[in-house]
Amino acid sequence: MGPNILHVWNTAGVASVIAKFVDRGYGAQSTVITRAAADRVGLTTYGTAYPDGPARFFVRALGMARVADVVHVHSLDRVVPWIKRLYGKPVVMHYHGTDIEGRWEEKRARWSRADYVAVSTPNLLEGAPPGAVHVPNPVDTDIFRPGPGAREAGSAVSFRYGMDGDAEAAAKRLGLSLTWLDRWSVKHEDMPGVLSKYAYYIDMRKPPGRIPARSVGKAALEALACGCSVVDWTGGVIRGLPPENEPVGVAARWNGVYSDVLRKGRRAGDTDRSASPP
């Protein structure tokens, strides 16, 4: 029986994919928790989205952390110092985008308490501490795969996300007929069917008040898994899901991380006990 892993929050559904494939491949017992208000489209395919307000969820996370072997926190870094203070157990802090981009110094008091710090895309390592590691986002290839039937040649789809003009210019340059979807308008379970209708997915995003995203987003990776070509933020075209985003390989990396932080935690506990007076 593997370790008990608690995932707190589920940014872009990444925790659900990691938990599912680590449990499947390594016999871990993973629990994913998030707030229903933060999961409008049903990203929590593995775990539970609770109808909690912020304060109640915070208390829930602290309570469930007590019985976990490792706590893997996604984005919600304010919980990290509390878990370490209350329980002293291994904590992984995992950032996914605007939660940390350009904010490393601002959030030092939070991430510095974690035993392992990871980011989901390489651009987030700018300004990061030396020990921070990029671990690519996994795609659930059980769910995201090419659908039946032919997709329309020259078709493209994109979600409106602050770069509509840039996306339209890219579509025009490539001779594509672009269909727009509003953010949060497609349920997660329906995404494979929607993506499989189109030849291209245009991945251009600019969060409000931020610079354009300089990474391939989770939905774009899912589009690649469904057989779409992806136009990224540079206007370049990507084809095929990169091997680094295959879920089995990502799960292997996370299993190694969990084993390592548990081993270091046990070693530290042994040192503390040996240093205590009889």
Side-chain angles (χ1 to χ4, degrees), residues 27 141 236:
T141 49

Side-chain angles (χ1 to χ4, degrees), residues 18 66 76-77 86 95 103 113 117 125 136 143 155 173 187 207 222 228 231 245 248 250:
I18 294 171
R66 184 176 61 84
L76 199 68
D77 53 9
L86 289 171
Y95 289 111
R103 304 176 68 186
R113 299 296 306 277
V117 179
L125 289 174
I143 298 172
S155 62
R173 177 174 56 83
K187 290 291 187 183
E222 292 164 350
C228 295
V231 182
N245 300 107
V248 172
V250 176

Side-chain angles (χ1 to χ4, degrees), residues 151-156 176 195-201 227-230:
R151 61 191 76 219
E152 185 179 347
S155 62
L176 303 175
L195 293 170
S196 292
K197 294 178 182 177
Y198 297 94
Y200 286 78
Y201 179 89
C228 295
S229 297
V230 166

Side-chain angles (χ1 to χ4, degrees), residues 9-23:
W9 215 245
N10 193 17
T11 311
V14 172
S16 283
V17 186
I18 294 171
K20 174 182 175 179
F21 284 89
V22 170
D23 286 7

Side-chain angles (χ1 to χ4, degrees), residues 9-13 33-44 49-54 57 76 183-184:
W9 215 245
N10 193 17
T11 311
I33 62 171
T34 192
R35 288 179 59 214
D39 189 6
R40 304 184 224 177
V41 296
L43 292 165
T44 308
Y50 290 95
D52 292 347
F57 182 80
L76 199 68
R183 288 191 76 200
W184 317 120

Side-chain angles (χ1 to χ4, degrees), residues 74-88:
H74 300 260
S75 300
L76 199 68
D77 53 9
R78 65 190 179 93
V79 76
V80 173
W82 286 91
I83 294 170
K84 295 300 291 186
R85 186 180 302 124
L86 289 171
Y87 312 123

